[in-house]
Amino acid sequence: MNDTVDPVDPAVPVPVDPIVSGAVNLRDVGGLPAGAAVTRHGVLFRSGNLAQLDEPGVTALGALRLRRIIDLRADDEVAHAPSRVDGLEIVTQRVPLFLGSVESFFADDISLDEMYRQLVDDSSAGVVDVVRGIVTDQPVLVHCTVGKDRTGVTVALTLAAAGVDLDAVVRDYARTEGLLPEWRNRRILQMLRSMHPEAKHLEDLATRSPAPVMQALLDDVTARYGSPADYLRAHGFGDDEIAELRRVLLRAV
């Protein structure tokens, strides 16, 4: 079990995450409430990169019976840290979401709120491609480098569009902060601070997933489009696809 306390509401039970050695922040989004339904287990997974999988990790990933992996990283990130999935018969779909480099966000010292707004506005076609990939094949894993921002935003929009209760969507996003290893955070922050000593948003960008940030993003999308589902519709996702998304992700309780 990778976590025991919900970061938003300690009274909410926290699910047991799959153990895939070498994978960071990997979890199943099953079990989230969606009105009179709940998200199915074993359908949609999310994580950070798969570059550090050891042999048991590759075996454990194979045991999830994934049919598709959706990699949200840019070409340079993939070249630097290629996924260790050789030998697994899994379709890999590449959907680079950031129009600029990851480094540019630290250099420009933007906030998480700004980053997420840019992602929603500038990479809408990519977001739709991700959700289409989720609808096409299951089980499916969506990942980026850390599994926090690109993965966090696209999975949140997917879950919200499927009808998952928004407070549950926010809780799932917020869990990431507690799943990032402390040693990783120390190393990354030390490196980034040496490069950007005056940056104000560095720790948030590198290590945090605050619930209010995701709540603000979902509120903004709803205010501008009507709902997360309407955001997808506005960028070419059809009503039939929304219905299929809900069918594959949800089950009645």
Side-chain angles (χ1 to χ4, degrees), residues 220-251:
D220 176 64
V221 167
T222 298
R224 291 194 288 147
Y225 291 94
S227 71
D230 288 325
Y231 164 79
L232 295 180
R233 289 187 180 99
H235 295 99
F237 206 67
D239 287 342
D240 57 334
E241 293 176 301
I242 293 288
E244 181 66 3
L245 177 68
R246 292 172 177 168
R247 186 190 71 79
V248 299
L249 285 188
L250 305 182
R251 65 172 177 82

Side-chain angles (χ1 to χ4, degrees), residues 32-148:
L32 302 179
V38 67
T39 52
R40 300 178 191 272
H41 285 284
V43 173
L44 174 59
F45 298 86
R46 54 175 294 179
S47 75
N49 74 74
L50 306 174
Q52 302 302 318
L53 296 183
D54 53 19
E55 188 172 337
V58 174
T59 299
L61 189 72
L64 299 180
R65 301 186 181 279
L66 298 175
R67 296 180 62 199
R68 180 175 296 249
I69 292 174
I70 305 177
D71 188 341
L72 310 182
R73 298 176 298 163
D75 292 346
D76 60 334
E77 294 174 276
V78 174
H80 175 71
S83 297
R84 296 193 62 191
V85 294
D86 291 346
L88 300 179
E89 294 185 5
I90 304 173
V91 172
T92 296
Q93 176 184 353
R94 292 282 316 288
V95 187
L97 280 190
F98 286 156
L99 298 184
S101 69
V102 174
E103 169 59 24
S104 70
F105 293 109
F106 294 102
D108 295 341
D109 195 24
I110 69 172
S111 67
L112 279 177
D113 296 273
E114 291 176 275
M115 179 199 286
Y116 292 179
R117 176 70 178 254
Q118 285 185 28
L119 196 156
V120 164
D121 288 350
D122 298 342
S123 297
S124 56
V127 172
V128 168
D129 284 345
V130 173
V131 185
R132 282 206 173 107
I134 292 169
V135 170
T136 299
D137 282 325
Q138 311 87 38
V140 54
L141 168 67
V142 178
H143 80 88
C144 52
T145 292
V146 182
K148 181 172 80 73

